[in-house]
Amino acid sequence: QVQLVESGGGLVQPGGSLRLSCVASGSTFSRYTVGWFRQSLREERSFVATIRGSGGGGRPYYADSVKGRFTISRDNAKNTVYLQMNSLQPEDTAVYYCVAGSGVILSNIRNRAAYDYWGQGTQVTVSS
């Protein structure tokens, strides 16, 4: 069982930055694919970014809408995954969920059903 706890959300002006963090319990964190999904009032929960575990070489993947603005990283020694969000826009407003999955195959990496564990979410609001 893995528990995920997110932090770092808040209110930011358009063009600003935030860094989300997610701390995971458990001793096998390095093996998990971990990442972020988000859900706004108008849209279904959607893929944001993910980073493979040690078996996948730690490679990151991004949704087209955030590529070039967001950066996902992980610190396996701290059981933590980060999402650095720059150039934030109002359309980035959403609840951001941390996710973790074992055995996530590459073709399924953007599918929310591929992830076994979800955090409670952290609100990000981009507004002037």
Side-chain angles (χ1 to χ4, degrees):
Q1 192 77 6
V2 175
Q3 291 185 326
L4 304 171
V5 179
E6 305 101 331
S7 62
L11 174 64
V12 63
Q13 292 186 342
S17 298
L18 281 176
R19 188 176 82 154
L20 304 183
S21 300
C22 172
V23 180
S25 64
S27 60
T28 58
F29 175 79
S30 64
R31 301 178 188 175
Y32 282 84
T33 295
V34 291
W36 299 88
F37 281 68
R38 67 186 181 186
Q39 185 169 15
S40 68
L41 293 176
R42 295 173 296 175
E43 297 181 0
E44 294 183 351
R45 201 169 293 192
S46 62
F47 171 77
V48 176
T50 196
I51 186 166
R52 301 299 297 275
S54 53
R59 182 176 175 177
Y61 297 85
Y62 299 95
D64 289 342
S65 59
V66 306
K67 200 173 295 182
R69 300 188 297 125
F70 292 10
T71 302
I72 189 170
S73 60
R74 65 190 299 163
D75 185 338
N76 290 332
K78 296 182 178 180
N79 277 18
T80 301
V81 57
Y82 304 97
L83 186 67
Q84 177 66 43
M85 305 185 294
N86 298 330
S87 301
L88 283 162
Q89 300 302 318
E91 53 265 34
D92 295 315
T93 295
V95 177
Y96 283 71
Y97 296 90
C98 179
V99 298
S102 60
V104 179
I105 60 176
L106 188 57
S107 61
N108 221 21
I109 207 163
R110 293 173 174 81
N111 186 344
R112 58 188 181 185
Y115 296 89
D116 307 300
Y117 304 103
W118 291 72
Q120 292 299 308
T122 186
Q123 176 71 46
V124 171
T125 302
V126 185
S127 176
S128 55

